[in-house]
Amino acid sequence: MGYQRIVVGTNGSESGQTAVVVAGELAVKLGVGVTVVSVWKEATLKAGTDATWAAEITAAAAAVLVEAGVTEVLRRELPGTAGAVLLEVAAAEPGTLLVVGGGGLGSSKARLLGSTANHVSHHSESDVVFTRKIPKRWTTVGLTTDGSASSITAVRRGYEVAVALGARPFLVTAAKTDDDGAVTLIEVEGQVHVEDPELFGRDVLTGVPAAEAICNAAWKYDLVVIGNRGMSGPARLLGSVANKVTHDIDTNLLLVNTTHA
C-alpha cells in the first residue's frame, strides 16, 4: 500500500519550516493531502506558546502548502507533548507518512532535553521523513540495504517514493569489498520485484563501518531510505546501523517501519 496522507509537524522554527516545504513537495508528487500539526503545552514557562500561537503556525504552514499545490490541507492545533501528539495523529490513519524536522537528531543536548525528532525516531509506527534540507530538485534517492528481508521492504517503499519524485533510485550497500557489495545488490535486485528494476543505480561503500559509510555518502542523495530495524530494544544500545544513521546523517532521511510490511 502506498502512502495515503502526509502528517507534518511544525513549531514555526527554521527546522519546522523546512519540514513543511518538503512535506508539500512530497504531497504534490504522491498526490495526497496533508495534515499540518502544531502542538502547544497547556502548562509551560515559555511565553506565547498557546493555542493562538499554534493556530498562527498552522495557518502559515497551510498557506505554504496550498501555494506548493497541495489540494487538501487540514490544520490541527493540539495540546500536549509534540512527539507523543504527532505519533497519535499519524497512527490514526493507515498509510500515513509523518514528516518532521530532523534538526534535533544530531544534538546530544537536544536528545537529553526531549527532542521531538528523537522521540519519533524510536517510537513511530508510521514511516517518517526527517528533513535536513530543501533540494533544488529531487534527483537521487539512496536505498540502503544489507540484503536482509527488512531492508528489502525499505527498498521497495523507497523505490516508490523515488519514482513519484522523478528521482533515480540507487541501491546502496556497505561491504568489505566491492565484489561482496555487488553480489548483495544483485541478490536484492532479484528480490525487490519493482516495476522497472532498470532504473536502479548501484553504490557499494567500502573501507569504514556501515553506518559511517552511509553517512559519508549522504551528500550524493536528496533522500536516503533505511529500515528501522534496531531503532528500539537492545539493538539500539549495541550500535544499530539504523540508529547511528538516523542521528548522524546530514541529508533527508526516510525511516521505514519494516515491522509493518
Side-chain angles (χ1 to χ4, degrees), residues 171 181-191 202:
L171 292 174
V183 169
T184 296
L185 295 186
I186 290 170
E187 292 175 349
V188 169
E189 281 190 26
Q191 296 179 63
R202 296 181 184 177

Side-chain angles (χ1 to χ4, degrees), residues 110-133:
R111 294 199 296 270
L112 288 172
L113 293 175
S115 159
T116 296
N118 181 60
H119 180 81
V120 167
S121 73
H122 296 297
H123 298 285
S124 181
E125 296 183 0
S126 304
D127 294 358
V128 188
V129 170
F130 297 99
T131 60
R132 299 284 194 174
K133 62 182 181 180

Side-chain angles (χ1 to χ4, degrees), residues 1 6 8 12 38-39 41 50 57 86 92 119 122 137 148 152 161 166 170 177 179 184-185 220:
M1 179 181 68
I6 289 176
V8 59
S38 188
V39 181
K41 292 186 177 181
D50 55 13
I57 297 298
L86 288 171
H119 180 81
H122 296 297
R137 182 168 172 262
S148 65
I152 290 172
V161 173
F170 280 76
T177 68
D179 287 344
T184 296
L185 295 186
K220 304 177 186 178

Side-chain angles (χ1 to χ4, degrees), residues 21-245:
V21 172
V22 170
E25 293 182 355
L26 288 169
V28 170
K29 296 293 187 179
L30 294 169
V32 300
V34 178
T35 299
V36 57
V37 180
S38 188
V39 181
W40 54 281
K41 292 186 177 181
E42 293 177 291
T44 179
L45 298 176
K46 187 175 180 181
T49 52
D50 55 13
T52 300
W53 165 85
E56 292 173 353
I57 297 298
T58 60
V64 171
L65 293 167
V66 170
E67 185 173 352
V70 181
T71 56
E72 183 200 356
V73 180
L74 300 179
R75 296 168 48 197
R76 298 193 68 181
E77 303 89 29
L78 299 167
T81 302
V85 170
L86 288 171
L87 294 184
E88 183 178 346
V89 173
E93 293 187 54
T96 292
L97 175 63
L98 179 58
V99 180
V100 297
L105 288 169
S107 166
S108 57
K109 180 180 179 181
R111 294 199 296 270
L112 288 172
L113 293 175
S115 159
T116 296
N118 181 60
H119 180 81
V120 167
S121 73
H122 296 297
H123 298 285
S124 181
E125 296 183 0
S126 304
D127 294 358
V128 188
V129 170
F130 297 99
T131 60
R132 299 284 194 174
K133 62 182 181 180
I134 303 169
K136 292 182 180 179
R137 182 168 172 262
W138 297 89
T139 57
T140 53
V141 174
L143 313 176
T144 66
T145 179
D146 59 3
S148 65
S150 60
S151 73
I152 290 172
T153 295
V155 166
R156 290 193 190 104
R157 200 77 50 82
Y159 172 90
E160 293 172 0
V161 173
V163 170
L165 289 171
R168 187 179 184 192
F170 280 76
L171 292 174
V172 181
T173 195
K176 289 184 178 180
T177 68
D178 288 335
D179 287 344
D180 288 344
V183 169
T184 296
L185 295 186
I186 290 170
E187 292 175 349
V188 169
E189 281 190 26
Q191 296 179 63
V192 290
H193 307 302
V194 296
E195 184 175 346
D196 186 4
E198 295 298 321
L199 287 178
F200 283 127
R202 296 181 184 177
D203 191 3
V204 177
L205 312 174
T206 61
V208 294
E212 183 179 352
I214 292 168
C215 290
N216 288 346
W219 63 270
K220 304 177 186 178
Y221 302 107
D222 301 308
L223 178 71
V224 168
V225 181
I226 194 167
N228 74 336
R229 186 183 66 188
M231 288 302 293
S232 60
R236 171 184 170 188
L237 303 176
L238 295 174
S240 152
V241 172
N243 188 49
K244 291 180 68 65
V245 169

